[in-house]
Amino acid sequence: VRLIQPLSRSASRPPLPVVPAEAGPRANPSTWYGNSYAQLNQVNIFGAHNAGYTGAGVVIGVLDTGFVRTHNVFNQLGGAAHGVQVLGEHDFINNDGNTTQQGGDPPGQADHGTYILGTLAAYQPNFLVGAAFDASFYLAKTEDISQEVPAEEDNYVAGLEWIETNGADMATSSLGYINWYSQSQLDGQTAVTTVAVNIATDNGMACCTAAGNSGHDSNPISSHLIAPADAFRVITCGAIDSGGFITSFSSDGPSADGRPKPEVLARGFLVNTVGPSNDISITSVNGTSLSTPIVAGGVALIIQAHPNWSVDKIRRALFHTASRSQAGSSYDPQHVLGYGIINILAAIEFVHGDINADGKADGRDVPFFTRALVDDSSPAAMRLRSDVNADGFVDMDDVPIFVNDLLGL
């Protein structure tokens, strides 16, 4: 990659072609969601869907190995149902407009991307339902499974630029690169894909990525991340099992410059998704690759609810409402759990700047914030809410953010 330049957000994407599928409470959700129920309910995406947030009007870019879209869950028609809504696709490996499994591809080339798209976009009630089933998608085929070479990072950058140029609201990737980097280089400003993600988030496009599957240890200094998980404002995703426990493979941080990574958790063990071998089956897959599209689907619902929220506001809402924060803690000092398991409905309902917990951000929050800022003995819950940038401290770095929250900026 010779040059990476910021791209402005495009307003030229085509109009969304479909009527949203049914939203609102279901009489029997465990039946309606079918094989997706447990993995979506664990992070309260189920609750967000019930509140009417299904991804309608949100455009997601997905970077992966390819996407087979012949499965029944991508092709439901009639009534409120719809097929997967693809606004555009490009193969950055073969430089063509076909992101599916092609004749010259290695066997299984498109399997991984199909798993990811199924977790996000499936829509076959009573069988499999994706996290953001009403969203629309740009699909970028960037990863060649037959080799692991730096050119794949170039493909990733080109795909991310293409997604941003087309005006997507967010991008998600379950890809990562470490073979030609050391952990000391995962400092947020060295790896090619990391720099590209930094530019995308600076331009206002939310991005999610996998932490990696190299495991974790009890040493808070050592790390096992992959790029671009170290990007400054990417949402880096670790993996839990059905019981909410961290999986053995979920990679730990911190980044080389000491930032919490991973930041959030969702299910990445026995995640039910599309089986790419035929058009009717499902399969269960493991990895932070699978927790990432669950988080990304949740982010899409947040964007639908709050289309004017910045990348930072999306991140802070996720962090402040995740399980560790709700239990009265900040991020995990061992850099394994981040801020904990996400709660998407709570993130949607989060009020930035509401320090006194009255459901509003206004002048009455100022004395509470001021007390937390100057008095280390102030109540723990008050201090946690006053740590508006979620860095574990109430300090002067929080002041401008709190002021902007009060002003609605």
Side-chain angles (χ1 to χ4, degrees):
V1 177
R2 295 181 179 87
L3 180 65
I4 302 174
Q5 293 180 317
L7 294 172
S8 60
R9 299 296 298 279
S10 169
S12 61
R13 74 186 184 214
L16 303 184
V18 300
V19 176
E22 57 184 295
R26 280 98 187 169
N28 192 344
S30 61
T31 299
W32 191 87
Y33 282 91
N35 295 286
S36 309
Y37 175 77
Q39 63 206 42
L40 299 185
N41 190 44
Q42 187 176 42
V43 295
N44 213 0
I45 282 177
F46 163 77
H49 287 174
N50 280 352
Y53 304 110
T54 58
V58 178
V59 178
I60 306 172
V62 186
L63 303 106
D64 218 287
T65 64
F67 313 90
V68 175
R69 306 197 303 274
T70 57
H71 197 285
N72 288 349
V73 302
F74 295 137
N75 294 283
Q76 296 295 299
L77 300 173
H82 57 71
V84 61
Q85 304 165 62
V86 177
L87 301 180
E89 59 183 306
H90 192 81
D91 181 343
F92 290 87
I93 304 168
N94 301 306
N95 194 27
D96 61 40
N98 185 353
T99 62
T100 192
Q101 181 82 30
Q102 299 184 66
D105 288 341
Q109 168 69 40
D111 287 4
H112 188 271
T114 305
Y115 299 147
I116 305 313
L117 189 63
T119 308
L120 272 167
Y123 188 75
Q124 187 176 353
N126 305 314
F127 182 66
L128 194 73
V129 176
F133 56 79
D134 271 332
S136 298
F137 297 89
Y138 281 99
L139 304 180
K141 181 178 176 180
T142 65
E143 186 80 358
D144 180 355
I145 68 167
S146 69
Q147 57 183 342
E148 190 72 7
V149 294
E152 292 176 295
E153 283 200 284
D154 298 349
N155 293 341
Y156 185 110
V157 174
L160 191 62
E161 289 179 331
W162 173 76
I163 287 167
E164 185 183 358
T165 299
N166 279 287
D169 299 295
M170 62 172 293
T172 186
S173 163
S174 294
L175 307 173
Y177 308 93
I178 196 61
N179 286 13
W180 43 92
Y181 297 117
S182 65
Q183 289 296 315
S184 65
Q185 292 177 297
L186 300 190
D187 56 3
Q189 51 191 353
T190 299
V192 170
T193 50
T194 297
V195 173
V197 170
N198 286 342
I199 292 171
T201 54
D202 285 350
N203 287 344
M205 187 168 72
C207 293
C208 299
T209 198
N213 299 324
S214 297
H216 51 270
D217 55 34
S218 58
N219 185 344
I221 299 175
S222 66
S223 59
H224 301 84
L225 296 171
I226 51 177
D230 61 312
F232 291 121
R233 295 154 76 196
V234 74
I235 299 164
T236 302
C237 309
I240 54 172
D241 62 18
S242 60
F245 298 101
I246 195 74
T247 62
S248 61
F249 56 76
S250 188
S251 286
D252 60 354
S255 63
D257 55 329
R259 287 171 290 117
K261 296 286 182 177
E263 293 151 323
V264 295
L265 304 174
R267 185 162 170 178
F269 184 74
L270 297 180
V271 173
N272 291 322
T273 187
V274 170
S277 61
N278 59 62
D279 293 342
I280 59 174
S281 68
I282 62 165
T283 189
S284 297
V285 189
N286 302 333
T288 58
S289 287
L290 278 298
S291 61
T292 301
I294 294 176
V295 173
V299 170
L301 310 188
I302 296 172
I303 291 172
Q304 181 186 358
H306 301 285
N308 295 320
W309 272 11
S310 65
V311 169
D312 285 337
K313 281 195 169 184
I314 293 168
R315 285 168 50 84
R316 290 194 284 127
L318 283 169
F319 301 165
H320 279 285
T321 57
S323 59
R324 284 184 59 85
S325 295
Q326 291 302 294
S329 301
S330 185
Y331 61 83
D332 174 19
Q334 298 294 319
H335 299 291
V336 176
L337 306 176
Y339 295 88
I341 304 168
I342 57 171
N343 182 329
I344 293 301
L345 181 59
I348 288 171
E349 295 175 342
F350 182 73
V351 179
H352 290 280
D354 177 22
I355 311 302
N356 65 355
D358 68 351
K360 297 176 288 186
D362 54 27
R364 287 184 285 270
D365 295 292
V366 174
F368 291 87
F369 177 81
T370 302
R371 180 182 173 189
L373 184 65
V374 301
D375 182 3
D376 289 343
S377 65
S378 55
M382 182 193 303
R383 291 185 58 76
L384 194 63
R385 291 191 294 270
S386 298
D387 177 21
V388 291
N389 67 355
D391 69 350
F393 306 95
V394 183
D395 54 25
M396 294 304 294
D397 290 340
D398 295 296
V399 174
I401 302 171
F402 173 63
V403 171
N404 284 340
D405 285 345
L406 288 185
L407 296 175
L409 301 177

